[in-house]
Amino acid sequence: MQVISSDATEIFARLKSAAFHELVVSSMAGERDAIATLFTWIRPAIVRYCRSRIGRSGSAYSSADDVAQEICVAVLGALGRYNDEPESFLPFVYGIAAHKVADHYRRAGRDRSDPSADVPDGVDVSASPEQLIMAADLRERLTDLLNTLPPRQREILRL
């Protein structure tokens, strides 16, 4: 059983309140202060959603925050077109969030880069045959990765 923190309980209690629904109505009417408050209220829930789906450590943590920001921008863009009941606004936001998280995974799946911590400066003459083969393999992989880049970016890296 998962235990929800008191912060999460407060966040979700606020998002289910009548005050939140009134805030949605005011935001739909285009009131700037209401829109700012609306995003102050929904952003923590969006960030929690993204971190639970994408991850909470290393680069996944910043990726989750980036996706959360994309969701906020998308919700802001869709707010003017939203004309459903205020009670269904949160599921609407989570629908956008689900699509943005799926987009994140699609982009990650298409990313053909294979990062390496160190790039060798040269060949060690005292290297064993296995080390020479590994160095040749690394050179080949790096060349393949460079060839996936557009010509201008490839030239910049080669320089």
Side-chain angles (χ1 to χ4, degrees):
M1 181 171 111
Q2 182 180 10
V3 177
I4 298 178
S5 71
S6 63
D7 289 343
T9 304
E10 289 175 29
I11 290 169
F12 294 111
R14 180 187 285 179
L15 295 178
K16 293 178 181 178
S17 69
F20 177 73
H21 299 140
E22 291 173 19
L23 191 59
V24 171
V25 171
S26 299
S27 297
M28 288 168 53
E31 294 179 24
R32 293 173 87 58
D33 291 340
I35 293 170
T37 304
L38 178 73
F39 280 91
T40 301
W41 285 21
I42 65 171
R43 190 174 187 293
I46 292 170
V47 169
R48 286 179 60 84
Y49 178 85
C50 291
R51 288 180 182 171
S52 71
R53 298 301 187 277
I54 296 172
R56 293 180 171 264
S57 64
S59 65
Y61 196 79
S62 62
S63 292
D65 289 350
D66 291 344
V67 173
Q69 187 65 28
E70 288 178 28
I71 294 165
C72 288
V73 170
V75 170
L76 181 61
L79 188 59
R81 296 184 309 272
Y82 182 76
N83 56 7
D84 209 350
E85 295 297 317
E87 293 79 18
S88 63
F89 183 74
L90 203 54
F92 170 74
V93 170
Y94 280 117
I96 291 173
H99 285 93
K100 291 294 182 181
V101 168
D103 289 346
H104 165 76
Y105 281 113
R106 272 190 224 101
R107 277 191 309 270
R110 286 191 301 258
D111 186 8
R112 305 191 92 183
S113 64
D114 187 14
S116 174
D118 297 315
V119 177
D121 291 328
V123 176
D124 183 6
V125 291
S126 64
S128 69
E130 292 91 10
Q131 290 171 327
L132 292 174
I133 290 171
M134 288 175 56
D137 181 56
L138 179 60
R139 241 185 339 273
E140 183 179 323
R141 287 178 56 207
L142 287 173
T143 302
D144 290 343
L145 287 173
L146 282 172
N147 289 333
T148 64
L149 294 173
R152 185 177 177 147
Q153 290 177 353
R154 183 174 41 239
E155 185 63 25
I156 289 170
L157 287 175
R158 284 191 174 140
L159 290 175

